[in-house]
Amino acid sequence: MQGNNSPAKPEPKPDLELMRRAIELAGQRMRGGHGGPFGALVVKDGQVIAEGWNQVTSTNDPTAHAEIMAIRKAGQSLGNFSLAGCVLYSSCEPCPMCLAAAYWARLDAVFFTGTRRDADQAGFVDGFLYDEVAKPMEQRKLPMKRLDELRPAVLRLFQEWREKEDKVPY
């Protein structure tokens, strides 16, 4: 009996399969009129626990990015604001807001494929935002002014928080 000389089929790579799903979701929802071409998944122990897609224009919510929507759903699904032990798959490099949300959520890792430059070339402002955040406050396009007169009131709130015995630290 002669052996099979055909090359073995490569095993599917979970990261690539999950990213394909994020890209597929981005395309489906964009074509369906939900918003821009962005999709995201939150995965725990190899299982998708939440999907998100861009809904900025369909909900008139500038924070309704795919990653934010997936993170919100994952937190609800797990019943916890901490997504430690989870991984985010995003069809594009997260914007600064979504990257900050990934940190706040305590995700273990973020996988992406499109870059901020790719998003810029498609007409999004991701690169501009990354540049702005890196600038000193006084050099940013969005004027920011601290109202020092009321700072003591906020410092009292922070002190109260530090002393609060029943707080849930995050």
Side-chain angles (χ1 to χ4, degrees), residues 11-51:
E11 289 292 316
K13 294 184 176 181
D15 291 337
L16 294 180
E17 293 306 312
L18 290 164
M19 187 60 72
R20 281 189 186 94
R21 174 62 190 144
I23 294 167
E24 176 184 280
L25 186 63
Q28 288 173 344
R29 299 302 192 224
M30 176 195 67
R31 291 181 204 104
H34 293 270
F38 304 98
L41 313 173
V42 175
V43 176
K44 183 174 179 75
D45 300 325
Q47 299 298 311
V48 176
I49 61 167
E51 293 184 337

Side-chain angles (χ1 to χ4, degrees), residues 28 33 40 55 58 64 70 94 107 109 131-132 140 147 153 159 165 167:
Q28 288 173 344
Q55 297 176 54
S58 61
L107 291 163
D131 292 344
E132 282 292 295
R140 294 180 187 159
L147 301 176
Q159 182 61 36
E165 292 184 19
K167 70 182 170 205

